Amino acid sequence: MKGSVAAAAVGVAGSWTGCRPAPPSIQGTIVGPNRELGHRLRDGGLPAPERFEQVDVVVVGGGVAGLAAARTLSRAGGLKLVQVELESEVGGNSGWGQTATTAYPWGAHYVPLPGREAVEVVRLFEELGVITGHDVAGRPVYREEFLCHDPEERLFLHGRWQEGLIPHLGVSSAERAEIDRFLARMQSLREAEGSDGRPLFAIPVDRSSTDATCRALDLEPFSAWLDREGFRTRPLRWYVDYCCRDDFGLTAAGVSAFAGLHYFAARGGEAANADASAVVTWPAGNGWLVQRLREGITGELHRGCAVHSVAAHEGRVRVSAFDADSGSAVGWDAAQVVLAVPMFVAARLLGAPGAGRGTGAVYPPWLVANLTVDQIPDGRGMGPAWDNVLFEGRGLGYVVATHQQLRAVTGESVLTYYLPLDHLSPADARREAVAWTWDQARDLVLHDLARAHPDIAARTRRLDIKIWGHGMICPVPGFLWHGDRHRWSKPLGNIHFAHSDLSGISLFEEAYTRGVTAAHAILGRGTLSA
Amino acid sequence: MNDRATRLLLLASVFVIATCGLIYELIAGTLASYLLGDSVLQFSTVIGVYLFAMGVGSWLSGFVERGESRLFVQVQFLIGLIGGFSAAALFVLFTQVNAFRPVLYGLIFLIGTLVGLEIPLLLRILKDRLEFKDLVARVFTFDYIGALLASLLFPLVLVPHLGLVRSSFLFGMLNVAVGLLSARVLRLSGPWARATSVLGCGLFVLLFGGFLAADRFTSWSERNTYTDPIIHAVSSPYQRIVLTQGAGDLRLHLNGNLQFSSRDEYRYHESLVHPGLARLPMAKRVLVLGGGDGLAVREVLKHPGVEQVLLVDLDPAMTRLFTQLPLLTQLNLDALASDKVRVVNADAFTWLAEAKETFDFVVVDFPDPSNFSLGKLYSTAFYRRLRPVIAPGGAVVVQCTSPLVARRAFWCIDATLRDTGFQTRPYHVYVPSFGEWGFILASLESLPTDLSLPEGLRFLSASTLRGLFEFPPDMDRVDVDVNRLNNQALVRYFEEDWGKVR
C-alpha cells in the first residue's frame, strides 16, 4: 500500500554527501575605534604640552581628506609637515584589515568611475595608474584588474540568487514598468543641466547646478518625492531604500530628495573599457587608495595621538595633543593647520570659536562585520558575486574580499557585512550598539545572513565586528543647501577645514577633493616658513 | 501518562514509522538505479519486492501470541539498524561482492518484512484503547500521511541536501528514537526494560556516528559516474583527480570532467603544440601553462632544438602523479623527468606577474572557461600579462574549447587576443573523445608560414595541417565581445553555448 506513492521518486538524482558536521566555534572580537581615547578627548582633562614645536603645517586627522591634504602638500615639497591621527592606523572610514589570504575593508570599499567634475580624483587616478591612458575618443582607459570583476552583484530574492540588484525574480509587469520608468527618469536627470550649464547632480556635490528648483528638492524627504512621482511599488521602493541606506545610513524617508536623486543621477563617468555604471575596487576596499595616498606623504605621522586643542596664537596656530603610546603631551606651533576631522570633533577642538559647528548634522551608527569563511557561500541560483545583497534583509549584505583576486582557485575568503543601524534614532541606536557584546553582534550578523546561507555559521571561522558610533554623515532634509555647511567650510584664519562632512555626503571623492582644496589654499598663500 | 496521551504518542509513531519505511524503500530504489542503471526496472522490482515482503511481515505477525509491545520495540530497533546502515552497506557491498542483486533484494526483503510486522503489531497494541472503526481509520490515516511526507521530503530535501547515505542514517536514528519512546509509553517492565534503553541508546549513537562519517562514502559513489573502472583517485586541495582504465583506454578526469583519453589524446596534443612550434625552428625555451599531465611537454620535447621547458601547473598532486605513476609516465614518455624540463607549481596568473624570463613558445592549456575564476585566465588582463614573457619573434598557442559547440566562446577568445595586440591564426581538429576542438595560435609579429614537423607524429602531416586552418560555415567567425575581467563575456558565451547541448 505504501508502494502507491513510491514511484514518485523514480529518476531522482543528486549527490549523497551534503551538509557538514556541527559548526566549529567561531573566533572573533569587537575591534576599535579607539573609544577610550576618543572619550578622554571629549571629556577633557588631557595635559597641556610644555613646548610647541615649530612646523609649517599640521594636518589633524588621517582619513581620506587629511591624507589628501598631506599628500598634496608633500608633493609641493619644502614644507615641514606633521600629520596626527587618533587611531592606530590611518584611513578613517576607508580602513582595512588583513588575513593570511586577503586584505579586506572595514568601511568604504569602492569608487564609481569619476565623472567630468571630479577633476582631482581623475588626476589622482592617473597618478596612481588606476587610469592608464586614453582611447582615441579621449575616454579614460582603466586598469582592468581594478575594475570590479564580473559578476558584480547578485540579489537573494524568493529563495534564489538572481544577477543584479534590481529585483526581477517574481516581479510583476506593472512593478517592472515602474522600475523602468524610475531608471529612465534617473537617466534623464543624469544628463540634465541647470541654467548655469552645470549638471543638476554632480560629484563633488558643490559642483552641482545652483538652480533654485533643484536645490529646493533638498527640503523634502526623498520618500515624499517618490510618493508624489508615483513610485510606490514594493520592489522599487526596497531598491531605493537599499541604495539610500548603503550610501547614507538611512532609508529614503530619512534623507533629502536632493541627496536621494544625487545618488542615482550623479554617478557614471565614462571609460574606454567599462560601462558607465562600473566601479573600481580592491580587496582592501578604499584601503588600497589610503595606502597609496600614505606612500605619497613625506611628513611626520603621529598615530594613536589625540589632538585636544587647536587655537590661534600670535598669528599662528597652536595644536595640543596627547600621545597615548608614550603617555605624554605633545604640541606644535604651525603656520597653517588643516582640520580634517568630523565637524563635531572640529567644534570641540576649536573651543569657543568653533561653537555651533556641525549643528544639525546626523550620523547614523553602523555595524561592519568581517567574516573569515572557508569558502564563499554559494546558494541556489546565481553563484557568488562581488556584492551579495538580501532582498529586504536587515543589513546590506556582504562584499567578497577575494573577488578581485586573479588566482583561479577559490578557497578561504573574507566577507564584509554592512549594517546601518537605522531601526532606532541615531542616538538610541548608538547607545544600544556600543553596549553589545561580541556574542550579541555575532548572532545578529549570522541570523541575517542565514536566510540566504543556512550554513553560514559552519562556514565561518572568524567574525570580527566594528561598531562605527558615528558612521558617516547623512544628508537629512535641509542639510545640503539650507544649512550652514558652506560657512563651516571657509577657513578660520590659518585654520582650514577638510572633511566629507562639509559636503554632507560621505564619499571618497568629496573627502579627497576637500583635502586637495585645503592644501591648495595653503600653498596659494606662499608665506609659510616661520 | 494518561491513556489519551499514550494513544496520541502511539499514533504519532505510526506516522514516523510510515515515513521511515517509505524512505528506506526510496533509498533502495534510487541506489539501485544509480548503481545498476535502468531506473524503471530497478524501481519496479524494488517496490514489488518491498511490498511483497511487507505482506510476509504482516502474515508473520499472526504467529505472535503475546508480548506485542516488546516485539514492537525490538522491531523498531532492528529496522533502525538495518535501514540506517542500508545505503552505506549497499555502496560498500557493490564494490566488494560479485552478486550484488541478491544482496540488494535480500536487504530490501528484510526491511520490508520488518516494516510489514509493525502496523499489525501496533493495531493490536492499540485495540483495547480505541474502538475498531476509529483504530483502523486513525492508524491508516497517519500511515498514508507519513507516506506523503516521505515522498515529498525525499526528492526535495533529503537527496539534494543530505544525500542518500546521510538520509538513511538519519531515518535509522528516527526509528530507534520511536522504539525508545514506545518502550517508555508502553511501560515495559522487568530487567529487559533497562537493557532496552541501553541497547536503544547504543544503537542511536552508532547511527549518529555513521551519519557524521558519511563523507567517506563519496569515493564509493564515484564508481558509477565513470564508465570504466577507477584505477587511481586522489583529492588535492584544488581538484579531484580520477584515472579510469577500460579496454586499452586510460582516461583522466578532473572534477568529473574528461581531460584526455589515451586512445586519441595524441590528436589533441600534437595539434596543440606542433602547428606553432614547428614554425619556430630557432625556439629554445618553451613555457607550458597548465597541462600538468606532461603530454604537451612530451610533444614539445620532440623538437630537438628545444633546450628548456618550464611547466607551470597549479596542482602538485597532478605533476607528481604524472612524474611517478608508471602507467602515466609511459603515456607522457617520462617527459616531466627530462633534464630539459622544470616544473613549477603555481597559479599561472600570479606566476606571470613575477615572471622575468622570456620564452620562444608558450602553450596555454587551461581547463575550459566554465566558471568566473577560470574565465579570468582568458581575459585581456591575462593576455596583457602574457605579452612580456614572449620573446621577440615568439608565439603562443591557446586551447580554446569547441568552436562547433561553443562557437561564440571560441571566437571570443580570438577577439580577446586580438584586442590585446596579438595576431591570431585559429585552427581546429577532430578529437573523437572530445568532438571538434579549437586552438588559437597567436603572436605579436607575423609568423613564418613554412614549418617542419618533427618525426614520428601519428596525426599531423603537411596535408592534415592545411585543413585545420579552414573553418566551415557552421563554426566560422562570429561577431562577439572581448573578454575582460569586468564583463566576463567568455564565461557567459561558454555557459549559454554548452547549455544548449547539455
Side-chain angles (χ1 to χ4, degrees):
Chain A
M1 44 192 149
K2 286 173 190 168
S4 54
V5 288
V10 171
V12 168
S15 66
W16 34 82
T17 57
C19 25
R20 348 186 99 249
S25 60
I26 302 171
Q27 309 277 308
T29 177
I30 294 185
V31 300
N34 195 338
R35 206 162 279 125
E36 194 195 337
L37 199 53
H39 286 175
R40 270 188 86 172
L41 181 62
R42 184 187 64 191
D43 302 337
L46 290 169
E50 285 166 14
R51 55 177 284 273
F52 291 87
E53 189 189 343
Q54 298 278 314
V55 294
D56 292 323
V57 183
V58 174
V59 176
V60 182
V64 168
L67 291 168
R71 179 176 180 272
T72 310
L73 292 167
S74 296
R75 286 165 76 89
L79 291 176
K80 186 160 185 204
L81 176 70
V82 168
Q83 187 167 21
V84 194
E85 165 60 41
L86 174 68
E87 299 294 329
S88 57
E89 259 315 323
V90 294
N93 278 358
S94 297
W96 74 98
Q98 177 82 46
T99 68
T101 324
T102 180
Y104 58 84
W106 269 121
H109 53 279
Y110 70 95
V111 181
L113 300 188
R116 218 166 306 142
E117 291 74 29
V119 276
E120 292 85 355
V121 177
V122 169
R123 199 166 306 134
L124 174 73
F125 280 7
E126 287 167 354
E127 288 164 7
L128 298 181
V130 176
I131 293 174
T132 56
H134 293 83
D135 70 357
V136 282
R139 295 176 306 177
V141 177
Y142 281 81
R143 177 128 174 229
E144 193 173 328
E145 284 88 336
F146 296 162
L147 289 166
C148 181
H149 300 174
D150 187 52
E152 205 170 309
E153 295 154 337
R154 65 170 177 167
L155 176 67
F156 188 74
L157 177 61
H158 304 309
R160 285 183 76 84
W161 289 98
Q162 61 149 66
E163 184 159 19
L165 293 189
I166 296 172
H168 63 75
L169 268 177
V171 168
S172 74
S173 54
E175 290 165 337
R176 181 67 236 177
E178 194 181 290
I179 291 172
D180 289 343
R181 184 164 66 85
F182 177 80
L183 296 177
R185 185 74 183 277
M186 294 305 117
Q187 183 57 36
S188 69
L189 286 175
R190 204 170 292 139
E191 291 156 8
E193 285 183 353
S195 53
D196 51 2
R198 291 192 194 174
L200 291 187
F201 301 95
I203 296 174
V205 67
D206 282 353
R207 292 176 194 162
S208 304
S209 164
T210 53
D211 277 12
T213 46
C214 193
R215 295 201 166 179
L217 289 168
D218 183 44
L219 288 169
E220 65 176 335
F222 191 26
S223 53
W225 183 90
L226 291 163
D227 289 341
R228 201 173 62 238
E229 297 289 328
F231 295 117
R232 294 204 171 103
T233 52
R234 185 168 151 192
L236 174 67
R237 288 300 284 262
W238 169 79
Y239 175 65
V240 172
D241 277 340
Y242 165 81
C243 294
C244 290
R245 293 179 79 209
D246 190 32
D247 256 38
F248 308 131
L250 294 179
T251 62
V255 306
S256 85
F258 183 94
L261 293 171
H262 184 270
Y263 175 92
F264 292 100
R267 284 152 191 251
E270 48 173 17
N273 55 340
D275 294 339
S277 61
V279 303
V280 283
T281 184
W282 302 267
N286 292 0
W288 185 87
L289 289 167
V290 167
Q291 293 169 59
R292 300 294 87 75
L293 293 177
R294 175 77 194 96
E295 285 164 6
I297 299 171
T298 48
E300 228 174 82
L301 172 66
H302 293 258
R303 284 173 293 197
C305 187
V307 171
H308 53 84
S309 161
V310 175
H313 181 80
E314 295 172 359
R316 293 172 65 88
V317 187
R318 283 194 155 179
V319 177
S320 308
F322 177 76
D323 189 321
D325 288 341
S326 65
S328 59
V330 276
W332 295 278
D333 182 89
Q336 307 275 346
V337 164
V338 179
L339 265 188
V341 294
M343 287 186 296
F344 63 92
V345 178
R348 212 167 289 137
L349 300 185
L350 290 170
R357 199 164 265 277
T359 309
V362 173
Y363 300 86
W366 283 68
L367 177 154
V368 179
N370 271 296
L371 294 79
T372 306
V373 291
D374 58 5
Q375 213 177 355
I376 303 166
D378 220 327
R380 263 159 47 113
M382 160 103 184
W386 171 63
D387 193 9
N388 305 268
V389 177
L390 281 67
F391 181 72
E392 295 184 345
R394 178 162 184 198
L396 299 171
Y398 59 90
V399 292
V400 175
T402 51
H403 183 79
Q404 295 293 97
Q405 275 188 358
L406 295 169
R407 297 189 304 141
V409 179
T410 52
E412 186 181 294
S413 186
V414 175
L415 315 180
T416 310
Y417 168 89
Y418 295 89
L419 170 63
L421 300 167
D422 57 351
H423 60 299
L424 298 172
S425 75
D428 289 339
R430 191 173 303 127
R431 245 189 312 276
E432 181 187 79
V434 296
W436 277 334
T437 63
W438 176 76
D439 289 42
Q440 286 172 309
R442 172 203 61 196
D443 291 347
L444 194 153
V445 173
L446 292 177
H447 182 260
D448 191 22
L449 290 177
R451 188 159 64 89
H453 303 302
D455 58 343
I456 188 70
R459 289 225 167 287
T460 307
R461 292 187 192 148
R462 191 174 175 87
L463 195 160
D464 292 318
I465 307 262
K466 194 174 239 179
I467 305 289
W468 296 93
H470 294 80
M472 343 184 264
I473 194 158
C474 178
V476 295
F479 188 82
L480 287 179
W481 302 120
H482 299 85
D484 283 333
R485 74 176 177 94
H486 287 97
R487 195 162 57 76
W488 299 329
S489 307
K490 295 209 169 68
L492 213 61
N494 302 346
I495 302 170
H496 304 262
F497 297 93
H499 196 275
S500 57
D501 274 14
L502 299 166
S503 302
I505 293 178
S506 184
L507 293 179
F508 175 86
E509 301 91 310
E510 301 286 352
Y512 182 78
T513 307
R514 290 201 175 261
V516 171
T517 308
H520 284 164
I522 288 172
L523 294 169
R525 284 191 187 187
T527 54
L528 282 159
S529 298
Chain B
M1 192 175 294
N2 64 34
D3 212 41
R4 196 184 140 74
T6 310
R7 229 165 44 213
L8 211 70
L9 266 169
L10 288 171
L11 286 171
S13 71
V14 174
F15 177 70
V16 177
I17 292 164
T19 315
C20 293
L22 191 63
I23 293 283
Y24 299 136
E25 181 184 345
L26 291 170
I27 286 173
T30 311
L31 223 144
S33 310
Y34 279 146
L35 298 175
L36 302 170
D38 195 352
S39 58
V40 176
L41 174 74
Q42 304 311 338
F43 263 98
S44 302
T45 50
V46 166
I47 291 166
V49 170
Y50 192 83
L51 287 179
F52 172 67
M54 281 176 66
V56 172
S58 302
W59 175 69
L60 283 175
S61 74
F63 296 94
V64 177
E65 294 299 337
R66 59 201 151 72
E68 295 97 339
S69 301
R70 216 170 97 174
L71 187 64
F72 178 73
V73 174
Q74 286 167 334
V75 166
Q76 282 305 313
F77 286 175
L78 258 180
I79 296 176
L81 179 70
I82 299 172
F85 276 95
S86 62
L90 286 174
F91 271 124
V92 177
L93 290 172
F94 180 69
T95 61
Q96 305 292 319
V97 299
N98 289 327
F100 178 68
R101 279 189 179 81
V103 175
L104 172 72
Y105 292 111
L107 196 65
I108 292 164
F109 189 85
L110 194 60
I111 298 175
T113 308
L114 290 168
V115 172
L117 257 170
E118 288 176 317
I119 300 293
L121 285 177
L122 202 68
L123 284 169
R124 282 160 61 177
I125 293 167
L126 284 166
K127 72 175 191 304
D128 300 329
R129 304 172 200 244
L130 277 169
E131 258 191 76
F132 183 69
K133 69 174 171 65
D134 290 333
L135 176 64
V136 174
R138 294 205 195 153
V139 166
F140 284 106
T141 306
F142 280 102
D143 186 20
Y144 287 120
I145 295 175
L148 174 66
L149 180 74
S151 63
L152 293 177
L153 269 182
F154 186 74
L156 299 179
V157 180
L158 299 175
V159 173
H161 293 289
L162 281 182
L164 290 178
V165 174
R166 278 220 174 87
S167 300
S168 109
F169 280 120
L170 180 69
F171 282 84
M173 279 149 65
L174 266 178
N175 267 128
V176 172
V178 167
L180 277 168
L181 197 71
S182 3
R184 281 186 70 94
V185 171
L186 297 170
R187 299 202 194 93
L188 290 182
S189 55
W192 199 86
R194 205 183 159 75
T196 305
S197 316
V198 175
L199 183 70
C201 292
L203 276 178
F204 193 87
V205 170
L206 191 68
L207 289 163
F208 187 65
F211 182 80
L212 292 183
D215 265 342
R216 303 279 161 84
F217 291 98
T218 331
S219 53
W220 300 108
S221 69
E222 272 168 357
R223 289 192 60 89
N224 53 82
T225 46
Y226 305 105
T227 39
D228 296 330
I230 296 171
I231 56 162
H232 198 94
V234 56
S235 285
S236 79
Y238 307 109
Q239 55 202 344
R240 176 109 179 125
I241 306 167
V242 172
L243 278 167
T244 64
Q245 194 173 33
D249 184 15
L250 183 67
R251 290 178 174 231
L252 171 72
H253 307 258
L254 297 181
N255 295 333
N257 298 316
L258 178 66
Q259 301 300 299
F260 70 73
S261 153
S262 64
R263 275 206 189 126
D264 57 18
E265 58 79 18
Y266 64 91
R267 279 187 162 233
Y268 178 94
H269 290 103
E270 285 183 11
S271 307
L272 174 67
V273 171
H274 303 303
L277 193 50
R279 278 167 220 264
L280 305 167
M282 306 304 282
K284 289 187 168 48
R285 298 164 51 77
V286 176
L287 170 68
V288 180
L289 298 175
D293 53 29
L295 297 172
V297 176
R298 176 193 68 196
E299 295 303 319
V300 169
L301 291 175
K302 289 179 181 168
H303 293 257
V306 172
E307 292 168 3
Q308 291 180 34
V309 184
L310 180 63
L311 172 69
V312 179
D313 190 281
L314 181 64
D315 195 350
M318 264 293 276
T319 49
R320 203 181 309 126
L321 202 61
F322 280 84
T323 313
Q324 293 173 353
L325 208 66
L327 214 53
L328 299 176
T329 54
Q330 277 164 31
L331 192 64
N332 67 22
L333 302 180
D334 241 339
L336 300 187
S338 161
D339 292 343
K340 295 180 180 176
V341 177
R342 198 154 47 98
V343 177
V344 171
N345 292 117
D347 185 277
F349 223 133
T350 324
W351 181 86
L352 270 183
E354 286 145 24
K356 293 191 176 61
E357 307 159 78
T358 59
F359 299 87
D360 303 304
F361 189 57
V362 182
V363 178
V364 182
D365 193 13
F366 292 138
D368 279 358
S370 56
N371 63 48
F372 291 115
S373 299
L374 290 168
K376 293 182 180 186
L377 295 171
Y378 294 82
S379 63
T380 44
F382 181 82
Y383 295 134
R384 258 199 300 277
R385 286 204 186 175
L386 193 60
R387 286 181 56 145
V389 307
I390 302 168
V396 45
V397 65
V398 183
Q399 93 78 9
C400 296
T401 190
S402 170
L404 185 64
V405 178
R407 185 171 168 186
R408 290 182 303 164
F410 179 83
W411 292 107
C412 172
I413 301 172
D414 185 76
T416 307
L417 281 160
R418 284 166 177 266
D419 189 78
T420 327
F422 284 96
Q423 303 174 13
T424 61
R425 283 171 190 243
Y427 60 99
H428 63 97
V429 59
Y430 179 67
V431 183
S433 59
F434 281 16
E436 197 66 43
W437 215 255
F439 304 91
I440 295 173
L441 180 59
S443 58
L444 296 166
E445 299 151 44
S446 295
L447 285 178
T449 45
D450 52 320
L451 43 82
S452 61
L453 291 170
E455 296 289 305
L457 301 187
R458 295 168 69 191
F459 172 65
L460 280 189
S461 68
S463 59
T464 33
L465 260 174
R466 272 193 296 278
L468 304 190
F469 291 85
E470 300 290 327
F471 279 80
D474 64 351
M475 43 186 194
D476 208 357
R477 184 182 300 277
V478 278
D479 194 24
V480 281
D481 283 338
V482 168
N483 184 44
R484 306 178 195 282
L485 291 174
N486 56 313
N487 70 3
Q488 294 261 21
L490 177 62
V491 175
R492 291 166 191 280
Y493 290 136
F494 183 87
E495 274 180 356
E496 285 168 27
D497 290 351
W498 277 97
K500 285 178 206 147
V501 296
R502 276 202 187 112

